[in-house]
Amino acid sequence: MTTTQPATGELPIPGPGVSATSGQRQRTAMRTHLCGDLRADHVGRTVSVCGWVAHRRQHGQSLTFVDLRDHSGLLQVVVDGSVDVRSEYVLRVTGTVAIRPDGTANPALTTGEVELRDCAVEILSVATPPPFPLDDRADAVDESTRLAYRYLDLRRERMQRNLRARSAVLGAMRAALAPFDFVEVETPLLMPSTPEGAREFIVPSRQFPGSFYALPQSPQLFKQLLMVGGTDRYFQFARCLRDEDLRADRQYEFTQLDLEMSFVDQDDVLEVISTAVLAAARAVTTEPVPPIERITWREAMNRFGVDKPDLRFGLELVELTEIFAGSGFKAFAGADAIKGIRVPGGSAAHNRRRLDDLTTRAKSLGAKGLVWMRVGAGGKLESPAAKFLSDDELAGIIAATEAVEGDLLLLVADEWATACEVLGQLRNDLGRPPAGQGPLRFVWVVDFPLFVGVDQATGRPKPGHHPFTRPHPDDIAKLEIDPLEVRSRAYDLVLNGWELGSGSIRIHESALQQRIFGLLGITPEEANARFGFFLTPFGYGAPPHGGFAVGIDRLVAILAGEENIREVIAFPKTQSGLDPLTGAPTRVTDRQLRELGVRVIAPEAPVTGSDPAGERG
């Protein structure tokens, strides 16, 4: 081995025609370049790189090949003689960049044209063999094992790419907001309990025994108070916490771009958020991103059956109710709504067993049943229900669905909401691709209902959003007369069928707020007890305002092509809420409990060891 590092100890400076790569921007006392940044332009230069041993190949006693890895990629290092290094040893290598011999270039690597020769190798740290390979093979490793050794899992190219995509999203969003004159403000993590939303995490107070803080489900109350305080435009990348059952798109802890704006209407908020999320998408993907579409909640339900529609595929719901007005078919007679979907070419793909499974699925979703029809030769509909329908009805189905031979039709007759929701779920079951596959299709869903149904116990309407959401100005007169028909100034942003976040224009007048509280059965005394610290400031002059919150974890997951947000979070919990790395949650000592004035009375159960088994703004 030979050493070619300059005797002065100074780092080599790139010569004419060599661009300043990120490797040179990350120059330190120990390295001149990142492993993945070296190219043919660097041939003949003496460089120093640092990283982990990915592979070592010994060619007798005369030559050793080492693949050195850092977050930027792999670099082949050629060492004269034998060098005693193992997988994941940390090395500093100084050598000369050279073109690989003919026939040995590796097009799978960005550095595949070059290698490092005449190398001096310094072992910076030895390593125990890792419990799983730190490459794509780790994708098949049990998740609890990967999370227990997350510091190793993070070395993998996939995880490094995801973390850098997340950083790029945050940077792009912050830069996109700058021209809009936003002020970045941090809001408290310890706040009073306001249990009108999801279950909260509660924190006992040592100084005030018997009293508790809550961790914020969102900065909702504080960001509105910032508007009362004249901040005008606020944002932060807020950490939020909710004690909810976990799933692929939900964690106890999550991050959202949270913002609020004064003297605005809905279009102003949507413009700002659209600018930020499109900038984030462009920072991560090279694919063209189409403009964000906008549809009403009712249109979303009528066309897609869900309020977070996936626009990447067809199978849209078709309205069939009028075709069966006065029908003699018992299953359709008197139904509030009859809707269907056409599955192109689905007839051959669905045998009787699969059709029975679809019927069972529809019933499990709340439908009374499911009518299926195959489209045979000449457009003839083949179905057990066909004999109960008139020729006009059968012809009407074909015309409305635009069905052709070989298609499969699925029909549901029920209450409007049930018919939409059941077919919406079947549509997703049959056609929805993975969230990160295919084009990016953003859509704004606006004009949500202010209330969603009636509480059977109280007879009061139930809020569709939080109780500070502003009613649609055209519907305020309906509040006491027909509250379930009142639209709100609430809006959701959806990407590829995932809800990225929600927001609304807020109520800023005391009289209108009291009307809403009255409809919900909240007396002035109860309102003061629950929200007094929030409502009192509004009496001192509150501006019209509105806001939004974007779920960063969900956005990054889709942009990175991941189906689970845990893959874009550095240190997540498992789906059961455990942290295999730290063992959390853990018990605390009796002394700690006494200091807090807390006594554990729940039955003891193990909480450590191996793993068993949207955001509102």
Side-chain angles (χ1 to χ4, degrees), residues 250-298:
R250 181 184 291 167
Q251 282 274 295
Y252 289 149
E253 307 166 72
F254 58 94
T255 302
Q256 61 187 32
L257 168 62
D258 194 70
L259 62 77
E260 198 80 8
M261 306 167 64
S262 291
F263 305 109
V264 295
D265 202 348
Q266 176 175 287
D267 288 349
D268 299 306
V269 179
L270 269 55
E271 177 191 3
V272 169
I273 292 295
S274 296
T275 300
V277 297
L278 291 177
R282 287 191 291 268
V284 175
T285 180
T286 58
E287 297 296 322
V289 183
I292 301 180
E293 300 181 40
R294 187 187 304 193
I295 62 176
T296 67
W297 171 83
R298 186 162 290 275

Side-chain angles (χ1 to χ4, degrees), residues 14-15 17-24 32-34 36-47 95-99 114-116:
V18 179
S19 63
T21 66
S22 61
Q24 286 145 4
T32 64
H33 294 76
L34 296 175
D37 283 342
L38 294 175
R39 301 289 188 274
D41 287 345
H42 299 92
V43 168
R45 304 192 180 282
T46 299
V47 301
T96 303
V97 182
I99 293 291
V114 299
E115 60 189 14
L116 214 57

Side-chain angles (χ1 to χ4, degrees), residues 435-597:
Q437 180 178 309
L440 296 175
R441 294 296 300 274
F442 289 95
V443 58
W444 283 110
V445 181
V446 301
D447 291 354
F448 276 78
L450 187 66
F451 303 107
V452 287
V454 176
D455 188 310
Q456 297 301 315
T458 65
R460 301 278 185 176
K462 297 183 291 186
H465 206 64
H466 54 66
F468 313 111
T469 301
R470 190 172 192 82
H472 193 289
D474 295 342
D475 295 345
I476 289 180
K478 301 178 184 177
L479 279 172
E480 287 79 15
I481 301 171
D482 196 359
L484 298 186
E485 289 299 313
V486 177
R487 295 166 295 170
S488 70
R489 274 305 192 215
Y491 32 83
D492 281 6
L493 181 60
V494 177
L495 174 58
N496 292 6
W498 280 27
E499 178 192 325
L500 292 185
S502 299
S504 68
I505 300 300
R506 324 301 187 184
I507 298 171
H508 67 279
E509 314 99 313
S510 297
L512 181 57
Q513 185 66 74
Q514 189 53 55
R515 285 179 69 182
I516 299 298
F517 281 159
L519 288 168
L520 298 175
I522 301 174
T523 66
E525 293 75 22
E526 290 173 321
N528 186 63
R530 293 172 60 180
F531 310 111
F533 78 96
F534 173 69
L535 295 175
T536 298
F538 278 64
Y540 290 92
H545 59 285
F548 196 79
V550 179
I552 297 299
D553 310 290
R554 294 180 182 181
L555 175 59
V556 176
I558 296 174
L559 295 179
E562 297 286 359
E563 284 290 303
N564 195 312
I565 65 172
R566 294 193 289 273
E567 301 297 350
V568 299
I569 298 173
F571 299 102
K573 307 292 188 292
T574 65
Q575 190 157 328
S576 63
L578 297 181
D579 182 355
L581 174 62
T582 65
T586 60
R587 303 197 194 288
V588 298
T589 66
D590 290 341
R591 177 179 177 179
Q592 288 173 293
L593 293 175
R594 286 194 299 271
E595 288 178 341
L596 295 170

